[in-house]
Amino acid sequence: MQRREFIKTTAAVAATSSLASSAMAVEDARPIVYFTKTITPEKALEMYKKLGIELPGKVAVKTHSGEPTGNHYLKPEFLKPLVDHVKGTVVECNTAYPGRRMKTEDHWKVIEEHGFTKIAECDILDGEKEMELQIPKHKQIAVNYVGANMSKYDSMLVTSHFKGHQMGGFGGALKNISIGLGSSHGKAYIHGAGNPDIMWTCPQEKFLEAMADAASSIMEYFKGKIAFVNVMKDLSIDCDCNGHPKAPEMADIGILASLDPVALDQACVDLVYASDDKGKASLIERMESRQAIHIIEAAVELGVGSRKYKLVEVE
């Protein structure tokens, strides 16, 4: 993926008054991505409210509980206004790699130590067992294994720390509803594109397509009862699953929100490329070296969302 392709996407989202009425109709049909440069808990809540959606019933708030030695994950005090507003339960799943977040009893201790139990009820979705979500239209995997406790929730608010990722290139909304919602076994299944035994050696394109498959099953499961907030701060090239992530080399960008996870992640990628911050080079290299944009391409082909969007900046 060449840089010019990302810049072209950024330019395409800016509607102008000189467009013909027919073109405006097409533009207006694009999903809206709200964007603010202000990064505060209160602004995160405001961005969610801009979406104009009332998540029904029992709401799961998906986030990343953070590695014990890491420090870039979204902190509970930052998420509290959002969680309070939707009266949500903070949810997570166990990891597929060794560490204190792999086994339920250890993971609970991390969640408590990091302060999440102080702001809301919490739930490890695969704490006891997993369930299967069938994926009739798929590229790599025909089933997604998620935490069985997901069945207790009627809707979901997905809060994602957008940053780089060691394997996926970047982590945002799509990763959070694919790998992030997979059970421990399900994560390995996605990483190996259906074969957990090759989870660390699977061809990159297949891994990214398996993530897109998994994301499509979550969108189908919640069917319009799901919303997304991405926070572009602490923009390390490494994921929050890295206990010792590299220090960010570019400045924070802002908070984005959308009902379309594809448009949301695409907007985040576009903002990185469009930035005049020279520190962006390492994050761009991480994304390009991992073919990161392919998860977005695959998700579009699966009908998860749109790469074309309308960016609405909020002061």
Side-chain angles (χ1 to χ4, degrees):
M1 174 60 62
Q2 299 298 313
R3 177 182 174 186
R4 62 177 179 274
E5 296 182 49
F6 286 100
I7 294 176
K8 180 180 179 182
T9 305
T10 302
V13 304
T16 66
S17 58
S18 63
L19 290 174
S21 59
S22 58
M24 282 297 290
V26 173
E27 180 70 19
D28 289 344
R30 295 172 180 175
I32 294 175
V33 176
Y34 292 99
F35 166 59
T36 181
K37 296 177 183 177
T38 304
I39 305 177
T40 65
E42 296 74 22
K43 206 65 176 181
L45 175 57
E46 180 184 342
M47 297 299 284
Y48 165 74
K49 289 180 176 179
K50 286 286 184 182
L51 298 177
I53 186 174
E54 273 194 46
L55 295 174
K58 190 171 177 62
V59 182
V61 180
K62 175 64 178 75
T63 193
H64 194 295
S65 57
E67 283 298 316
T69 52
N71 58 358
H72 293 155
Y73 62 94
L74 298 180
K75 306 301 189 295
E77 55 269 25
F78 185 90
L79 297 173
K80 189 177 188 303
L82 275 169
V83 177
D84 287 349
H85 180 76
V86 300
K87 299 179 175 61
T89 299
V90 174
V91 304
E92 250 287 36
C93 289
N94 293 319
T95 65
Y97 55 84
R100 290 186 58 208
R101 296 171 61 240
M102 186 177 191
K103 294 183 178 180
T104 301
E105 57 271 27
D106 296 330
H107 196 174
W108 267 120
K109 291 178 183 178
V110 173
I111 289 172
E112 292 171 1
E113 290 169 5
H114 285 182
F116 288 100
T117 55
K118 294 179 181 178
I119 68 161
E121 290 185 9
C122 298
D123 190 359
I124 297 178
L125 299 182
D126 64 330
E128 296 180 0
K129 56 184 178 179
E130 64 184 23
M131 67 179 187
E132 298 181 6
L133 298 182
Q134 300 302 315
I135 315 174
K137 180 183 178 182
H138 60 274
K139 288 180 170 291
Q140 296 294 334
I141 57 174
V143 62
N144 184 23
Y145 298 96
V146 301
N149 285 359
M150 197 170 77
S151 63
K152 300 192 306 185
Y153 301 93
D154 304 293
S155 58
M156 179 172 284
L157 172 58
V158 183
T159 60
S160 306
H161 171 213
F162 185 91
K163 68 285 175 191
H165 192 274
Q166 301 91 291
M167 296 188 71
F170 72 79
L174 289 171
K175 177 184 177 291
N176 209 358
I177 60 172
S178 55
I179 290 289
L181 284 172
S183 64
S184 182
H185 159 247
K187 285 178 170 64
Y189 191 81
I190 294 169
H191 268 287
N195 182 359
D197 291 336
I198 62 166
M199 65 175 292
W200 303 125
T201 58
C202 178
Q204 183 70 358
E205 185 172 286
K206 290 186 176 182
F207 160 53
L208 295 170
E209 289 178 355
M211 278 207 292
D213 288 334
S216 71
S217 74
I218 298 300
M219 294 300 287
E220 175 62 23
Y221 184 84
F222 285 106
K223 292 182 178 177
K225 296 179 289 186
I226 186 167
F228 303 87
V229 175
N230 277 9
V231 182
M232 300 185 73
K233 67 188 294 288
D234 297 322
L235 293 163
S236 170
I237 63 171
D238 295 321
C239 179
D240 296 335
C241 53
N242 187 327
H244 302 281
K246 189 171 182 179
E249 295 180 43
M250 69 179 300
D252 297 345
I253 292 178
I255 301 174
L256 295 88
S258 184
L259 299 178
D260 184 325
V262 175
L264 183 59
D265 280 356
Q266 181 68 67
C268 289
V269 170
D270 289 343
L271 285 169
V272 171
Y273 274 85
S275 172
D276 58 5
D277 188 333
K278 293 182 180 179
K280 69 184 182 182
S282 62
L283 182 52
I284 290 174
E285 191 280 332
R286 172 56 59 90
M287 293 192 292
E288 293 185 350
S289 67
R290 306 307 197 270
Q291 306 170 47
I293 202 64
H294 190 55
I295 187 176
I296 289 179
E297 295 169 338
V300 169
E301 292 177 8
L302 291 167
V304 175
S306 171
R307 292 184 74 177
K308 297 179 180 179
Y309 58 90
K310 182 177 180 181
L311 191 68
V312 177
E313 185 162 357
V314 178
E315 293 296 330

